[in-house]
Amino acid sequence: MKKTALTFLVTCLTFLTFGQVAENQKMIELGKTYKDFMFRNEPTKDILKEIKSDVPENLKVATEFIAQSITTKNKLLTQPFLSRPDDKVLKHIYIIRAINLNLREENQVDNNKLIDSLSNKEIPTYELVDNYYEMVFTAVGNKNQPFDLYKTDLKLKDYNLKDDTEMGILVLQAISFCGTTIWGYMNVVKPANTKNAYDYIKKFPKINGRPYFQYTDFYFTDFEMNIVKDKGIQSYKGYYLDKYYETLLYHLICLNKEGSSEKEKNDLLLGSILKERNLYKYTKYKETLEDIFKEQKGE
């Protein structure tokens, strides 16, 4: 009887160990594939077929997500991929991205040790959610060209997001991505090419059926995390709300330079967080914003 119980225990441990090894191998494979094809390179049909074969049950959702992330004209802006995955899937995707980053280092950590370390680490849920949506919009930017989200409507209540913080994370990642499409026109070109920048702004997505700038639910509690490499822990709202404000100000400059109506300018000024003084502490443009509204009041 004792022998039977011991044999059963050994069999279970062997099965679990084999299963973990298979999971680790697949995550390493996905991390390498993501590294090779996340930007401009296009995977062959054979590569896509290979990463989708012999997938452990726990990694099926993460595998499909990575496959979409490296595919041109992907479906990441559809409801199934904009919907928040469960926490286990979020963590698998977080680890896969970490493997990709590790593979870019000269002094790499052994990937199996990295997986074990991150698997046993308590990673804050908001950090996992942020990682997911950053990857979504990075892939949209890298793989879905030319940029045109005019027909995209980010209906936040359809995406299984758990609270205002998670909704805010998705919006801030989306607009951070959109802001990169106009940054060069506003900063590199002298003078700023507001015509081209405004053409891109017109292609920004809607949020909940309304213009992107009308989303103002950013009063969730701030949190800290590593955002920029080698910068240490940073305020999440201090980093991403600052970028959001920057994009709104670029939008306002474009309206002023491109002869837009007073109604359009006032819609932006009064319908966005440009007027939300309680959030100015999160942006380096605090004085600029205060000056704009002084002028509005004629002070």
Side-chain angles (χ1 to χ4, degrees):
M1 192 70 164
K2 287 182 180 178
K3 273 190 175 182
T4 303
L6 182 61
T7 302
F8 176 74
L9 179 61
V10 169
T11 302
C12 288
L13 289 172
T14 302
F15 177 78
L16 290 171
T17 301
F18 178 78
Q20 189 58 57
V21 169
E23 273 194 24
N24 284 12
Q25 287 176 340
K26 179 54 72 172
M27 281 196 283
I28 293 168
E29 180 189 359
L30 291 170
K32 288 179 177 177
T33 306
Y34 183 70
K35 176 185 76 69
D36 290 341
F37 300 105
M38 67 165 291
F39 191 50
R40 303 300 293 181
N41 294 341
E42 185 71 15
T44 63
K45 289 181 180 179
D46 285 343
I47 288 169
L48 288 172
K49 184 178 178 181
E50 186 176 338
I51 66 167
K52 291 182 180 182
S53 65
D54 300 321
V55 180
E57 187 65 31
N58 285 347
L59 290 176
K60 285 188 174 179
V61 176
T63 299
E64 183 56 35
F65 176 73
I66 296 299
Q68 288 292 324
S69 298
I70 61 175
T71 300
T72 298
K73 303 297 181 186
N74 57 59
K75 298 177 182 177
L76 291 178
L77 290 180
T78 60
Q79 197 268 345
F81 293 101
L82 284 172
S83 293
R84 178 203 195 278
D86 67 40
D87 289 0
K88 286 183 180 179
V89 173
L90 287 174
K91 192 160 189 180
H92 284 144
I93 291 170
Y94 182 96
I95 292 171
I96 290 164
R97 188 186 185 198
I99 294 167
N100 139 72
L101 294 172
N102 184 47
L103 291 169
R104 299 174 188 275
E105 299 288 342
E106 286 189 358
N107 300 314
Q108 297 175 14
V109 178
D110 178 83
N111 281 310
N112 283 294
K113 289 182 179 178
L114 177 64
I115 292 169
D116 290 344
S117 172
L118 292 176
S119 295
N120 294 319
K121 183 180 179 182
E122 284 290 331
I123 300 167
T125 302
Y126 293 147
E127 191 167 341
L128 296 177
V129 172
D130 174 75
N131 176 76
Y132 180 76
Y133 288 110
E134 183 178 3
M135 290 178 73
V136 166
F137 290 106
T138 295
V140 170
N142 288 344
K143 295 294 184 178
N144 296 359
Q145 298 292 333
F147 173 85
D148 188 356
L149 304 188
Y150 177 74
K151 294 181 180 179
T152 299
D153 186 358
L154 301 174
K155 297 179 180 178
L156 303 180
K157 290 183 178 178
D158 292 349
Y159 303 147
N160 196 36
L161 297 160
K162 298 194 179 300
D163 53 32
D164 285 347
T165 304
E166 294 191 354
M167 290 183 185
I169 287 169
L170 187 155
V171 172
L172 289 172
Q173 283 296 346
I175 304 308
S176 176
F177 155 59
C178 289
T180 64
T181 66
I182 62 171
W183 190 90
Y185 292 119
M186 301 302 294
N187 292 277
V188 177
V189 181
K190 301 297 180 184
N193 188 336
T194 53
K195 181 183 183 304
N196 281 6
Y198 191 35
D199 286 343
Y200 273 86
I201 289 169
K202 291 173 184 175
K203 298 175 183 176
F204 282 11
K206 291 183 177 65
I207 298 173
N208 297 331
R210 299 182 295 173
Y212 83 93
F213 59 82
Q214 290 186 14
Y215 188 85
T216 60
D217 294 336
F218 296 115
Y219 284 95
F220 56 84
T221 303
D222 192 22
F223 58 95
E224 295 183 332
M225 57 178 273
N226 284 303
I227 300 172
V228 179
K229 186 178 178 182
D230 299 328
K231 290 281 188 180
I233 298 293
Q234 293 176 269
S235 155
Y236 190 83
K237 290 168 72 168
Y239 184 82
Y240 282 108
L241 265 184
D242 183 60
K243 285 183 171 293
Y244 191 90
Y245 270 114
E246 184 173 74
T247 299
L248 291 172
L249 287 169
Y250 289 159
H251 190 166
L252 182 62
I253 291 168
C254 289
L255 292 179
N256 284 325
K257 293 288 187 180
E258 297 306 310
S260 298
S261 68
E262 287 303 309
K263 179 184 182 303
E264 288 176 285
K265 295 173 192 175
N266 286 327
D267 284 349
L268 179 61
L269 280 167
L270 304 178
S272 73
I273 62 166
L274 286 173
K275 70 178 188 306
E276 300 287 337
R277 293 176 182 270
N278 289 337
L279 296 175
Y280 288 0
K281 63 185 176 181
Y282 294 111
T283 177
K284 60 180 174 288
Y285 298 104
K286 179 177 184 289
E287 290 184 9
T288 301
L289 292 161
E290 288 173 342
D291 287 344
I292 288 170
F293 284 96
K294 279 180 184 177
E295 289 178 14
Q296 289 290 109
K297 291 179 179 179
E299 294 180 14

